[in-house]
Short mmCIF file of all heavy atoms in Angstrom, two decimals:
data_model
loop_
_atom_site.label_atom_id
_atom_site.label_comp_id
_atom_site.label_asym_id
_atom_site.label_seq_id
_atom_site.Cartn_x
_atom_site.Cartn_y
_atom_site.Cartn_z
N SER A 732 9.75 11.53 27.49
CA SER A 732 9.56 11.04 28.80
C SER A 732 10.58 11.64 29.94
O SER A 732 10.64 11.17 31.15
CB SER A 732 9.77 9.58 28.88
OG SER A 732 11.06 9.12 28.41
N HIS A 920 16.93 15.95 35.83
CA HIS A 920 16.17 16.02 37.07
C HIS A 920 16.48 15.05 38.07
O HIS A 920 17.03 14.04 37.73
CB HIS A 920 14.65 15.65 36.66
CG HIS A 920 13.93 16.65 35.70
ND1 HIS A 920 14.26 16.67 34.46
CD2 HIS A 920 13.07 17.56 35.79
CE1 HIS A 920 13.52 17.53 33.73
NE2 HIS A 920 12.78 18.11 34.69
N ARG A 924 13.64 11.97 48.06
CA ARG A 924 12.42 11.69 49.06
C ARG A 924 11.54 12.82 49.18
O ARG A 924 11.89 14.01 48.91
CB ARG A 924 13.18 11.31 50.39
CG ARG A 924 13.84 12.57 50.99
CD ARG A 924 14.26 12.44 52.43
NE ARG A 924 14.93 13.64 52.98
CZ ARG A 924 14.31 14.70 53.37
NH1 ARG A 924 13.06 14.86 53.46
NH2 ARG A 924 15.06 15.74 53.83
N ALA A 1171 12.05 -10.17 38.46
CA ALA A 1171 10.89 -11.18 38.20
C ALA A 1171 10.05 -10.72 37.03
O ALA A 1171 9.69 -11.56 36.09
CB ALA A 1171 10.00 -11.31 39.35
#
Side-chain angles (χ1 to χ4, degrees):
S732 60
H920 295 77
R924 65 167 177 84

